[in-house]
Amino acid sequence: MFETLLLLLVPTLLFRLLGALGATRFATWRVAAAHGLAFMLLLTGASHFAPESVTFMPTHSDSLHMLPSWIPFPDFTIYLTGALEWLGALGLIITATRMWAGTALALLFVVMLPANIYAALNNIEFDGAAPTPLWFRVPEQLVYIGVALFAAFGSVAVRRTLIRPRVGSPSPQL
């Protein structure tokens, strides 16, 4: 139940530790979180392409079972979401594209939430284990959305975007 969340939290903490030890690239929580989320997405995206013969991680088939029957082109949908996760991961680690990637990933996480809810409500196994309970899965997805937006904008950047000074008034001190 906590595995995917740990794939985000542990790398984020390790990247931030590297920053504290002098790796300037990871000097902020925003960048560490962006790289931690990218790490998680590389692994979760890989599962969208993994054949059933793979036993150490979820597979394409596991993801396929999570989709409601009304989703068109289910195989393509799983491949597409995996590719989007990889593209989002790449976008997060490139400073110039981080804002766009984080925003797009937050939207992707919103779009993917119904499949997670469907799997939980229909008791669909994932990687041979019971589905993540709904009481945990929805807040977990909100964490991913929040981290993607934090990576995209950071707390100060969001405030600067939302608080536009009036002409002639001093800039807000953040």
Side-chain angles (χ1 to χ4, degrees):
M1 177 164 65
F2 292 100
E3 294 88 359
T4 307
L5 195 56
L6 289 174
L7 288 176
L8 167 65
L9 295 177
V10 171
T12 298
L13 293 172
L14 291 174
F15 285 126
R16 189 60 193 100
L17 177 62
L18 287 172
L21 294 174
T24 57
R25 173 131 181 112
F26 308 114
T28 67
W29 279 105
R30 177 184 178 207
V31 174
H35 283 74
L37 184 58
F39 178 85
M40 180 195 88
L41 290 169
L42 286 175
L43 296 178
T44 59
S47 73
H48 292 228
F49 298 93
E52 282 192 62
S53 59
V54 172
T55 58
F56 62 91
M57 65 187 281
T59 66
H60 174 84
S61 180
D62 290 316
S63 296
L64 196 59
H65 291 117
M66 291 178 63
L67 290 183
S69 60
W70 54 266
I71 300 288
F73 312 108
D75 277 309
F76 175 76
T77 300
I78 297 302
Y79 291 130
L80 176 64
T81 55
L84 291 173
E85 287 183 20
W86 281 349
L87 287 172
L90 178 63
L92 285 173
I93 62 172
I94 300 171
T95 305
T97 58
R98 187 171 297 136
M99 183 182 76
W100 294 106
T103 303
L105 285 166
L107 291 172
L108 180 64
F109 293 144
V110 169
V111 169
M112 291 168 60
L113 183 57
N116 290 294
I117 292 171
Y118 173 82
L121 293 177
N122 291 287
N123 204 31
I124 296 172
E125 289 187 359
F126 189 72
D127 195 24
T132 304
L134 199 57
W135 63 265
F136 185 83
R137 186 63 183 123
V138 172
E140 180 184 30
Q141 196 78 358
L142 292 175
V143 167
Y144 302 143
I145 293 166
V147 171
L149 292 174
F150 177 65
F153 299 107
S155 59
V156 173
V158 170
R159 285 186 274 165
R160 285 188 185 143
T161 302
L162 297 177
I163 303 172
R164 301 242 183 241
R166 292 187 183 145
V167 175
S169 66
S171 297
Q173 298 298 318
L174 301 175

